[in-house]
Amino acid sequence: MDDCIFCKIIKGEIPSEKVYEDDEILAFKDINPAAPIHILVIPKKHISTLMEINDEDMHLMGKIMKTIQKIAKEQNVAESGFRLIANCGPDSGQEVMHIHFHLLAGRKMGPKIIS
Ligand code: AMP
Ligand code: ZN
């Protein structure tokens, strides 16, 4: 997707602070962190929202969840815990239309959904 900011990050056209990368998945630090650890985990395949996930993406989605486990261990928050958020559609406030999972950690999460 030419005008997608996360596709540009994947292609290296926009810089990012990468924490994990393989042939199908990229994880990088959120530019506007809401917690001491705020990492975005994305598929390299452009999928705009959760509602666009197809049957053929099942393996990829599973792989993303395994990657989140790996990152949580590497960031030393597997035991202390973390919050995983995926916004979908207008009411969620999704700003970037390339599916992404927010991994938030490093502090006690409040009762509010994101902060
Ligand atoms: P959402 O509101 O769920 O679409 O979240 C989009 C997230 O992308 C926000 O938390 C932004 O801070 C983050 N973001 C936007 N542009 C960049 C960028 N160039 N590098 C890292 N994170 C970004
Ligand atoms: Zn994209």
Side-chain angles (χ1 to χ4, degrees):
M1 264 283 209
D2 287 350
D3 59 350
C4 170
I5 188 170
F6 287 177
C7 283
K8 285 182 180 168
I9 286 175
I10 291 161
K11 286 186 269 184
E13 294 171 7
I14 293 174
S16 68
E17 221 178 311
K18 293 177 188 176
V19 298
Y20 177 85
E21 182 168 24
D22 65 27
D23 54 337
E24 292 183 298
I25 295 167
L26 180 66
F28 53 97
K29 293 187 181 176
D30 196 293
I31 204 167
N32 186 20
I37 295 169
H38 187 168
I39 293 166
L40 301 174
V41 185
I42 67 173
K44 289 189 172 177
K45 176 183 178 185
H46 180 89
I47 301 171
S48 56
T49 79
L50 268 143
M51 295 309 295
E52 302 299 319
I53 296 169
N54 297 320
D55 288 349
E56 68 186 34
D57 300 321
M58 289 300 114
H59 176 73
L60 178 58
M61 290 301 129
K63 199 175 159 189
I64 287 175
M65 291 303 134
K66 293 298 289 183
T67 301
I68 287 164
Q69 288 182 346
K70 184 180 165 67
I71 294 168
K73 287 177 190 160
E74 283 172 2
Q75 298 286 327
N76 288 313
V77 297
E79 301 298 327
S80 54
F82 57 91
R83 184 170 286 174
L84 191 66
I85 292 174
N87 291 319
C88 179
D91 276 2
S92 74
Q94 181 178 2
E95 287 177 355
V96 179
M97 299 307 282
H98 180 130
I99 193 170
H100 51 281
F101 295 90
H102 297 255
L103 191 165
L104 296 149
R107 66 167 169 82
K108 281 255 187 249
M109 299 295 152
K112 286 187 194 166
I113 292 166
I114 192 159
S115 61

